[in-house]
DNA sequence: AGGATAGAAAACGCTTCGTTCTCTATGGGG
DNA sequence: CCCCATAGAGAACGAAGCGTTTTCTATCCT
């Protein structure tokens, strides 16, 4: 027969339990890093059973991906200073703040997963890449309407350069993305590219 | 006492054994992917003992990083067509060919590791990032000497844009990097950025 | 109340890890 | 040739984590 009921608290159901699991997953991530993060310990920390985790997610990659989506629900607002450079700086600075936060670790786990598993990227690219590219395209489009951008600059490829450089910097350098780095990307790359 | 000696071939030593281990690691990587790659199976495939692996490498991340370095020994040659666009295209095309090769999987394992472990990036950035950036800087410098580049374009940040965009594309999109993508990066981003 | 479902705990067999131990092939030196 | 030191190969070990299954029952809904 089954064991004695040793439960330590009331059962949670549905979204309430999801929330607790995400919280536990992100805490565990910050505490031990992605490499040493295990389903077993997430379940423990969330005070739920592994079976409950596996009911929802096929495995660690899927859980962590959803935990990150939960941690970073939105891309942010479209800056509107009326000035190209300031808008660019503000947009990339917002991105840097997110990456520099304690939960930047969570972003690293996503990058690791999509590096390993191309299909994970296909599933989540809209969420992690295209939305931010769209925001940049809107920003550039607005600057174009103000006559601040050269005609050929209004392409998705050009709009994607800023976020791509930020992601690559985050991946290829340790530590936080400083304002100096953001300014360099804006002043040496984006402004010359967009203005000409 | 110890078991019977079931060995199936002569012992190898030093570099010869390293070579066999790298070969086994990369084959295993291509066959089962990075997520399911284990030290145990690499040792088996290389017909060596796990202890020999652990003598050389602290764990899987370190082994795979060295295996990749072994697989991609050089960055390639500096293109010299006399024409900016053609040089850019050739340089990035070479990078795409490497990433598109069967061993592009190996590059993915590196990207995953450096995403997870910032210290791994610090240790290997010269190898994986700065050398290619230096090659691009040399390319741009030569184009500048030919009068084909605007004065403010001669910075490490600008030189690094091409490779960064290639890496990011590789990470954020599935499948191979096509000539169309390379051409788009060159024509929509790099040429306008460098010429102005 | 009754019924269905999902949650919590325990247990299981398997795989892999990282380490240790034993035997000895191998290389180098005299 | 011999001797010595070292590293390689194979086996074994205990621990950890995996993914699954089972049992009991809290919880929700009608």
């Amino acid at each position: 027969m089954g064991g004695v009921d040793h439960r330590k608290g009331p059962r949670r159901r549905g979204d309430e339990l999801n929330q607790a699991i995400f919280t536990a997953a992100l805490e565990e991530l910050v505490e031990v890093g992605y490499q040493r993060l295990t389903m077993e310990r997430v379940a423990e920390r969330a005070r739920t059973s592994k079976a409950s985790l596996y009911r929802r997610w096929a495995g660690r990659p899927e859980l962590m991906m959803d935990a990150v989506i939960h941690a970073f629900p939105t891309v942010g607002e479209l800056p509107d200073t009326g000035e190209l450079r300031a808008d660019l700086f503000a947009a990339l600075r917002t991105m840097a703040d997110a990456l520099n936060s304690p939960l930047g670790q969570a972003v690293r786990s996503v990058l690791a997963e999509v590096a390993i598993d191309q299909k994970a990227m296909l599933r989540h690219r809209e969420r992690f890449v295209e939305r931010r590219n769209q925001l940049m395209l809107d920003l550039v489009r607005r600057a174009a309407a103000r006559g601040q951008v050269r005609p050929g600059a209004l392409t998705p490829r050009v709009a994607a350069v800023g976020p791509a450089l930020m992601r690559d910097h985050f991946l290829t350098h340790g530590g936080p993305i400083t304002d100096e780095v953001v300014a360099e990307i804006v002043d040496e790359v984006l402004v010359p590219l967009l203005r000409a």
Side-chain angles (χ1 to χ4, degrees), chain A residues 80-91:
Chain A
D80 192 5
T81 68
E83 208 263 302
L84 176 67
R85 184 195 180 275
D87 277 358
L88 291 171
F89 188 84

Side-chain angles (χ1 to χ4, degrees), chain A residues 82-88 136-156 158-159 189-196:
Chain A
E83 208 263 302
L84 176 67
R85 184 195 180 275
D87 277 358
L88 291 171
M136 296 303 291
L137 191 57
D138 291 342
L139 184 155
V140 174
R141 195 170 276 137
R142 213 144 52 161
R146 296 191 301 253
Q148 297 176 337
V149 168
R150 72 180 164 88
L154 220 50
T155 73
V158 171
V189 180
L190 294 186
V191 170
L193 176 62
L194 291 164
R195 284 219 180 110

Side-chain angles (χ1 to χ4, degrees), chain A residues 12-184:
Chain A
R12 296 142 302 175
R13 251 184 186 294
D15 270 347
E16 187 190 3
L17 183 57
N18 291 344
Q19 187 90 283
I21 293 168
F22 289 147
T23 299
L26 294 168
E27 285 175 359
E28 193 72 10
L29 178 65
V30 168
E31 207 170 290
V32 306
Y34 191 56
Q35 197 160 357
R36 290 207 299 288
L37 182 138
T38 65
M39 295 297 264
E40 195 125 2
R41 294 230 299 255
V42 170
E44 247 179 73
R45 187 185 278 260
R47 274 184 293 104
T48 190
S49 76
K50 277 197 294 181
S52 295
L53 294 198
Y54 284 107
R55 261 178 168 291
R56 293 162 163 74
W57 298 285
R60 189 180 79 149
E62 291 80 7
L63 166 60
M64 293 318 298
M65 194 71 72
D66 274 3
V68 172
I69 286 167
H70 172 261
F72 294 102
T74 71
V75 165
E77 299 300 307
L78 182 60
D80 192 5
T81 68
E83 208 263 302
L84 176 67
R85 184 195 180 275
D87 277 358
L88 291 171
F89 188 84
L92 295 195
R93 171 72 173 283
T94 299
M95 193 175 170
D97 287 345
L99 297 176
N100 294 342
S101 76
L103 293 182
Q105 267 285 60
V107 176
R108 287 188 177 277
S109 69
V110 169
L111 291 175
E113 281 307 335
V114 301
I116 295 175
D117 176 15
Q118 293 178 47
K119 294 194 296 296
M121 187 73 256
L122 295 183
R123 279 197 300 274
H124 295 285
R125 187 159 79 224
E126 204 277 330
R127 169 85 216 191
F128 290 117
V129 179
E130 306 298 347
R131 283 196 198 173
R132 198 173 292 277
N133 288 352
Q134 185 59 49
L135 185 134
M136 296 303 291
L137 191 57
D138 291 342
L139 184 155
V140 174
R141 195 170 276 137
R142 213 144 52 161
R146 296 191 301 253
Q148 297 176 337
V149 168
R150 72 180 164 88
L154 220 50
T155 73
R157 175 67 60 185
V158 171
V161 169
L165 293 181
M166 296 287 282
R167 277 193 299 270
D168 191 68
H169 185 94
F170 185 62
L171 186 59
T172 59
H173 294 71
I177 303 187
T178 63
D179 281 359
E180 280 71 43
V181 169
V182 176
E184 206 174 276

